[in-house]
Amino acid sequence: MEAVAADPTTGASACRHLGADLRQDCLSAAAEALAADAEAAAGLCAELPDGLWRDECFFQVAEISDQPQRCASAGRFSLDCRMHLWTRGLFRLLPDRTEALASQEQAIEEAALSAGFQPDDPRPWVAAFRVQGARMRPLDRSQCAALSTAARQGACAATLLDLYGDLLNHARDTGRFPCDGSPLTGPLAHAPDPELDALVARRRAGDLCP
């Protein structure tokens, strides 16, 4: 491990002389240390036998190098890898906190395809809606109606409803929900929305203000 820390390439050569279990651990560490050179790091991962170590190695190389296309080699972690890098990349893809959701739809669609998601996969959209929904002041689910397909509209509305439930949980857990009946402000502010009003009323009578 000292050799890996000093020089990952030289260290990897030392790793190859170890017994099987230690060799896998050592090569994985060398691959992580070398991940800035993703191609070389992936070559070390490829030396590992099929299994947990190999999958984790490719996951780490994809994450450190920020190359989502390498998630395809991460085996059991391929989806987790892709979603992790996708969610992290959304903050670069969607830097504007004020743009309407529909104005960003094409950028999301193109980026999702480039990241390896299928056109009908809702998961990249759910992540994008959560990122933008958390930025909205006030939360406005009516924006979902401007999206181009019924599937996206439905996913958007459901995602923002779930997100609002999470915001209520956070307000409850931090003692910030206004049980005195004062207006909902900050992250809890929302545009007119009967479904959100019903959720707040139901939760107020339940766990928000015991």
Side-chain angles (χ1 to χ4, degrees), residues 114-130:
S114 296
F117 292 101
Q118 295 300 312
D120 59 349
D121 191 338
R123 289 171 295 201
W125 293 94
V126 168
F129 296 145
R130 284 190 70 91

Side-chain angles (χ1 to χ4, degrees), residues 2-13 30 33-34:
E2 291 178 356
V4 166
D7 183 332
T9 301
T10 301
S13 297
L34 195 61

